[in-house]
Amino acid sequence: MRCPVCQHTNSRVLESRSAESGKSIRRRRECLNCQHRFTTYERIEFVTVTVIKKDGKKESFDKLKLLRGIIRSCEKTGIEPTELEALVDEIEVELQGRTQREVTSAEIGEIVLSKLVHISEVAYIRFASVYRKFQGIRDFVDTLNHLQNQKNNLDFNSTSLESSEISPKPDAVDCETSASFATSS
């Protein structure tokens, strides 16, 4: 590591510790030439994900740009900024985990919507209105109906599961009834 003062290339590590919640290593170093102490960070270098825009242009994935868009859709919803940052981190990890290094902006938008639907319906509608370029009330109504249908399906599935867990097995009741009938005859 090159010393920032004298540019000498030899230094010794005085201390190493995990930083940024385990995402990097912080090293305290001392130059062997001038004894100047300095700090370096070691991080994993991710391969850049390229976003293909709707007009065909390509640009590098910008985590902060995505975060700004999500924050805008979540204004006045009471969602904590740390939760939104974690959401963007989760999306970035998902994109980094893919084998393909190019992703369309439409794919990113759908990933965001699939996650926002579980956090806030208001944020979901706001993000969808910008991302899908709503032209009028009909677009809002269609999206709201779609959201309501999803919610109804989830409610129906969870109540179906609950009722099937509670109700006795019909075969068990029939066997008991048959056994008591047989003994009484």
Side-chain angles (χ1 to χ4, degrees), residues 40 62 113 135:
T40 60
D62 185 353
L113 287 174
Q135 298 297 315

Side-chain angles (χ1 to χ4, degrees), residues 113 121 124-126 128-129 132 134 137-150:
L113 287 174
E121 293 173 345
Y124 176 91
I125 295 296
R126 287 178 180 168
S129 70
R132 293 183 176 153
F134 287 6
I137 294 172
R138 185 84 230 142
D139 295 330
F140 280 96
V141 170
D142 290 344
T143 303
L144 287 167
N145 287 336
H146 176 73
L147 194 60
Q148 187 64 45
N149 288 338
Q150 279 185 326

Side-chain angles (χ1 to χ4, degrees), residues 3-174:
C3 173
V5 174
C6 71
Q7 303 301 311
H8 195 263
T9 55
N10 288 335
S11 64
R12 69 184 178 122
V13 176
L14 302 172
E15 173 190 5
S16 289
R17 71 171 86 157
S18 180
E20 299 174 6
S21 303
K23 293 181 183 176
S24 67
I25 299 173
R26 178 185 183 268
R27 299 194 195 280
R28 193 75 185 133
R29 298 177 177 270
E30 180 179 48
C31 176
L32 297 177
N33 186 43
C34 70
Q35 284 67 51
H36 175 73
R37 291 183 177 200
F38 57 99
T39 304
T40 60
Y41 290 89
E42 182 179 318
R43 291 180 183 86
I44 295 173
E45 184 177 1
F46 291 106
V47 178
T48 327
V49 174
T50 304
V51 179
I52 303 169
K53 307 297 275 180
K54 289 180 184 176
D55 63 1
K57 291 182 184 175
K58 294 181 180 184
E59 63 181 49
S60 295
F61 174 73
D62 185 353
K63 181 178 174 176
L64 293 176
K65 184 177 179 181
L66 180 61
L67 180 61
R68 282 191 304 271
I70 293 173
I71 286 172
R72 210 171 300 126
S73 67
C74 293
E75 285 177 352
K76 298 181 183 180
T77 59
I79 301 170
E80 293 294 321
T82 53
E83 188 177 352
L84 299 179
E85 290 168 5
L87 173 74
V88 172
D89 287 343
E90 191 179 313
I91 292 169
E92 182 181 35
V93 166
E94 185 177 328
L95 294 175
Q96 287 289 340
R98 292 181 172 197
T99 53
Q100 295 176 333
R101 291 290 155 219
E102 290 188 340
V103 62
T104 64
S105 57
E107 287 177 87
I108 294 173
E110 291 303 322
I111 292 170
V112 171
L113 287 174
S114 72
K115 296 188 183 299
L116 278 179
V117 73
H118 303 292
I119 296 172
S120 167
E121 293 173 345
V122 172
Y124 176 91
I125 295 296
R126 287 178 180 168
F127 190 87
S129 70
V130 174
Y131 159 66
R132 293 183 176 153
K133 297 182 179 175
F134 287 6
Q135 298 297 315
I137 294 172
R138 185 84 230 142
D139 295 330
F140 280 96
V141 170
D142 290 344
T143 303
L144 287 167
N145 287 336
H146 176 73
L147 194 60
Q148 187 64 45
N149 288 338
Q150 279 185 326
K151 187 176 180 185
N152 289 343
N153 287 340
L154 287 175
D155 290 345
F156 176 76
N157 289 337
S158 65
T159 26
S160 295
L161 287 174
E162 289 170 5
S163 63
S164 68
E165 292 171 359
I166 295 170
S167 64
K169 293 180 182 174
D171 294 340
V173 173
D174 290 343

